[in-house]
């Protein structure tokens, strides 16, 4: 229930090296990453002599048309889709950023959130830097500019100063760098086109769209450079490297056809549904999922329970974004416009409703009501993530801590609040087990929004943990 829940991934990145008409390919890649950010989009290209850019607010299809893409000539491109929260909205914060310097042009785009951004910004301003945006992404450009030596050394030394979550694409006239934070919080993968051109994407679903095959993920703490058609990787940090990919990427953000760390997202969600049944079975007639991201978990629950899976809720895909306003009244109306309960399916039935998460609780309450108004006899809610009790500082915009309903209410209180007949969340161990369903999957997960165990220092963000 993306738009209504108040839970937003902030960005997606896509890059291509060595493909004629790179801007068009980038357009298709960004289009497949549109679920990661719908507020703004941009593409920066290189024709090996100079960098050119077009960016704007809106969906990829609104920002670009064939004429605009034709003007972006070159065989290298990096692009970005953005959900405007970090640093706020406005065209100044739309990425990629383009720095024109005496050493040549430098373009940067970024998915994630730098937790020590304010500390670094204050330091850079004291040294004379002037920022043209409130985005934390711009900091990397200023850090690189202030370093000396070979470009790779300057970038590595700059990345070393950043703390938090990032997947960066950095483009010069003749090369692209791709770098991932040392915790691997945000995903970033490398693919290759049949002509040998390299592509980079926040999610592997973008490779399928452009006809690329998956090569490998950029490792946590790694920087990869593609230049002269050659791909070279190295670690940019001496600090400890952890593998702590964001658990919410599996539960909610990523597309079900994407693979993260080699694990298919739909499969993990289906396993989470099965696990949820093992942990919290309930006698009922049908299982339904809240479209779209809860369908996989609902299928898993139904399969494990031996209860039929039904389409009890239908999503209206054609509700414009203008209807989704962050006010209570608009959210009320938004649920009705986006979702319908199918009374011929749910009427007189004991329904198990699977959802991926509860943030504020208001959406769950309205869906339970929709189902009861459509004649459901009982509504048992099962959630395929642990309760969200803490805010995220790693590039996911979720409500402030006082708006997170599970921070204020235990499961019984919340069950009453959403007017369900029963409520249960998957356990943290159960979720880990669902994602690491094969023994060879050993990477760890960030679960800070469930348990408050943040993987980095929080710097001045710590004050946001106060009620
Ligand atoms: S705090 Fe939650 S949403 Fe943020 S990176 Fe960690 S698991 Fe993902």
């Amino acid at each position: 229930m993306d738009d209504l829940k108040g839970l937003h991934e902030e960005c997606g990145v896509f890059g291509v090296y060595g493909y004629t008409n790179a801007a068009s390919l980038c357009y298709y890649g960004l289009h497949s990453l549109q679920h990661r950010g719908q507020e703004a989009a941009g593409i920066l290209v290189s024709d090996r002599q100079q960098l050119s850019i077009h960016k704007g607010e809106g969906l990829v299809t609104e920002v670009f048309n064939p004429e605009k893409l034709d003007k972006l000539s070159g065989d290298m491109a990096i692009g970005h889709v953005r959900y405007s929260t970090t640093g706020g909205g406005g065209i100044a914060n739309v990425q990629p950023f383009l720095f024109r310097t005496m050493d040549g042009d430098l373009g940067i785009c970024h998915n994630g959130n730098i937790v020590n951004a304010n500390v670094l910004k204050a330091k850079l301003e004291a040294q004379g830097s002037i920022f043209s945006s409130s985005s934390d992404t711009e900091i990397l450009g200023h850090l690189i500019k202030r370093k000396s030596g070979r470009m790779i050394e300057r970038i590595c030394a700059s990345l070393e100063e950043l703390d938090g979550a990032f997947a960066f694409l950095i483009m010069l006239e003749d090369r692209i760098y791709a770098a991932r934070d040392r915790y691997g919080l945000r995903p970033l993968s490398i693919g290759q086109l049949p002509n040998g051109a390299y592509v980079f994407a926040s999610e592997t679903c973008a490779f399928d769209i452009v006809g690329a095959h998956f090569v490998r993920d950029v490792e946590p703490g790694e920087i990869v450079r593609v230049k002269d058609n050659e791909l070279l990787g190295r670690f940019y940090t001496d600090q400890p490297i952890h593998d702590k990919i964001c658990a919410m990427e599996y539960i909610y953000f990523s597309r079900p056809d994407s693979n993260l760390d080699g694990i298919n997202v739909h499969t993990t969600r289906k396993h989470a549904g099965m696990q949820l049944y093992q942990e919290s079975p309930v006698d009922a007639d049908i299982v339904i999922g809240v479209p779209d991201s809860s369908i996989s978990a609902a299928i898993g629950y139904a399969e494990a329970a031996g209860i039929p899976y039904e389409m009890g809720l239908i999503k209206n895909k054609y509700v414009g974004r203008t209807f989704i306003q962050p006010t209570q009244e608009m959210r009320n109306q938004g649920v009705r416009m986006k979702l319908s309960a199918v009374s011929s399916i749910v009427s007189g039935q004991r329904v198990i409703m699977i959802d991926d998460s509860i943030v504020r609780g208001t959406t769950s309450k309205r869906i339970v009501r929709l189902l009861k108004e459509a004649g459901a006899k009982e509504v048992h809610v099962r959630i395929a993530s642990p309760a969200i009790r803490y805010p995220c500082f790693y590039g996911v915009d979720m409500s402030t801590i006082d708006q997170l309903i599970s921070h204020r209410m235990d499961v019984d209180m919340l069950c009453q609040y959403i007017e369900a007949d029963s409520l249960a969340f998957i356990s943290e161990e159960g979720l880990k087990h669902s994602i690491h369903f094969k023994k060879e999957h050993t990477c760890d997960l960030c679960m800070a929004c469930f348990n408050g165990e943040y993987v980095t220092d929080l710097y001045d963000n710590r004050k946001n943990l106060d009620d």
Side-chain angles (χ1 to χ4, degrees):
M1 283 306 300
D2 33 325
D3 294 327
L4 300 170
K5 207 170 251 175
L7 191 58
H8 299 266
E9 177 64 81
E10 297 202 350
C11 300
V13 296
F14 186 87
V16 51
Y17 176 97
Y19 184 86
T20 314
N21 207 350
S24 290
L25 199 88
C26 197
Y27 171 88
Y28 287 110
L30 291 180
H31 192 261
S32 68
L33 299 173
Q34 188 77 83
H35 58 288
R36 299 181 72 88
Q38 295 96 44
E39 304 299 328
I43 295 176
L44 176 70
V45 294
S46 170
D47 62 4
R48 308 277 172 158
Q49 309 218 314
Q50 62 170 3
L51 307 191
S52 327
I53 193 162
H54 179 76
K55 57 186 181 176
E57 292 176 279
L59 299 171
V60 175
T61 49
E62 294 165 342
V63 174
F64 293 97
N65 59 33
E67 292 77 46
K68 285 179 178 138
L69 288 170
D70 279 349
K71 285 186 189 149
L72 295 172
S73 65
D75 73 333
M76 294 164 52
I78 59 173
H80 191 261
V81 287
R82 173 178 167 79
Y83 171 74
S84 59
T85 295
T86 311
I91 191 71
N93 287 329
V94 178
Q95 299 187 38
F97 283 103
L98 172 57
F99 300 86
R100 302 238 189 242
T101 79
M102 297 298 282
D103 309 332
D105 293 348
L106 173 77
I108 301 178
C109 59
H110 164 225
N111 170 214
N113 193 49
I114 309 299
V115 280
N116 61 341
N118 288 341
V119 178
L120 291 171
K121 219 167 174 176
K123 194 171 105 185
L124 286 162
E125 282 188 356
Q127 292 169 351
S129 289
I130 299 175
F131 289 85
S132 63
S133 77
S134 49
S135 163
D136 57 353
T137 312
E138 198 183 350
I139 292 167
L140 181 62
H142 287 268
L143 286 172
I144 293 170
K145 182 65 192 150
R146 287 182 172 276
K147 307 278 186 234
S148 55
R150 291 169 59 222
M151 182 51 80
I152 182 71
E153 305 304 339
R154 292 164 64 187
I155 296 175
C156 289
S158 303
L159 293 171
E160 187 75 304
E161 289 192 44
L162 305 179
D163 203 358
F166 56 80
F168 274 110
L169 292 181
I170 303 164
M171 189 165 78
L172 276 63
E173 279 105 345
D174 63 346
R175 72 197 83 165
I176 292 177
Y177 297 94
R180 201 166 163 212
D181 68 72
R182 63 191 173 91
Y183 316 96
L185 282 158
R186 295 283 149 240
L188 186 60
S189 301
I190 309 167
Q192 198 167 25
L193 291 160
N195 75 341
Y198 285 103
V199 288
F200 300 91
S202 291
E203 283 182 45
T204 61
C205 65
F207 297 157
D208 301 331
I209 300 294
V210 301
H213 70 269
F214 173 79
V215 174
R216 69 176 179 88
D217 292 318
V218 178
E219 297 292 321
E222 187 187 22
I223 181 165
V224 170
R225 186 199 71 182
V226 56
K227 184 186 171 210
D228 299 329
N229 299 321
E230 191 189 10
L231 192 75
L232 273 180
R234 61 174 267 190
F235 290 93
Y236 61 80
T237 178
D238 296 329
Q239 298 183 62
I241 288 175
H242 306 274
D243 216 337
K244 289 268 189 186
I245 191 166
C246 164
M248 288 303 282
E249 290 280 354
Y250 289 99
I251 296 163
Y252 183 80
F253 297 121
S254 295
R255 268 180 35 168
D257 52 338
S258 287
N259 296 332
L260 301 170
D261 272 334
I263 311 170
N264 173 254
V265 171
H266 159 77
T267 309
T268 63
R269 289 181 187 165
K270 191 172 167 193
H271 279 260
M274 293 169 137
Q275 177 71 25
L276 200 46
Y277 169 72
Q278 300 302 336
E279 293 181 6
S280 308
V282 57
D283 201 15
D285 303 309
I286 58 172
V287 178
I288 66 170
V290 180
D292 290 323
S293 50
S294 311
I295 302 289
S296 303
I299 291 170
Y301 193 102
E303 196 174 301
I307 298 173
Y309 166 76
E310 290 287 357
M311 293 284 280
L313 289 166
I314 300 290
K315 185 175 173 183
N316 177 4
K317 293 192 191 323
Y318 304 102
V319 178
R321 285 171 303 135
T322 45
F323 286 110
I324 311 304
Q325 298 295 332
T327 67
Q328 202 66 13
E329 274 159 37
M330 287 307 286
R331 271 199 294 276
N332 278 345
Q333 190 57 21
V335 171
R336 286 194 179 278
M337 294 191 69
K338 279 204 107 180
L339 272 186
S340 304
V342 186
S343 62
S344 56
I345 291 175
V346 302
S347 181
Q349 303 291 308
R350 296 170 300 161
V351 176
I352 301 170
M353 180 191 108
I354 309 292
D355 203 353
D356 48 55
S357 53
I358 295 182
V359 183
R360 296 189 189 93
T362 44
T363 304
S364 308
K365 183 178 186 141
R366 286 190 200 99
I367 300 172
V368 171
R369 274 197 191 159
L370 270 183
L371 290 166
K372 292 215 166 162
E373 282 164 17
K377 204 157 66 178
E378 295 170 15
V379 179
H380 301 275
V381 177
R382 295 291 179 271
I383 305 295
S385 68
I388 298 176
R389 296 193 173 91
Y390 301 90
C392 174
F393 301 108
Y394 304 132
V396 173
D397 171 42
M398 50 173 75
S399 309
T400 55
I401 194 163
D402 55 317
Q403 290 175 323
L404 296 172
I405 199 152
S406 292
H407 185 75
R408 292 184 276 120
M409 292 187 191
D410 64 18
V411 177
D412 290 340
M413 283 168 73
L414 184 51
C415 182
Q416 277 183 33
Y417 174 76
I418 65 171
E419 299 167 7
D421 292 277
S422 73
L423 169 68
F425 293 84
I426 196 170
S427 66
E428 283 182 40
E429 275 315 304
L431 177 65
K432 273 189 199 163
H433 181 66
S434 318
I435 293 171
H436 298 151
F437 57 92
K438 287 185 189 166
K439 280 202 181 70
E440 61 264 32
H441 295 148
T442 52
C443 74
D444 208 347
L445 297 163
C446 174
M447 294 216 179
C449 49
F450 313 127
N451 57 24
E453 291 170 16
Y454 292 97
V455 302
T456 66
D457 191 340
L458 292 184
Y459 305 88
D460 56 344
N461 298 290
R462 191 159 286 284
K463 60 182 182 297
N464 298 322
L465 285 175
D466 297 333
D467 280 306

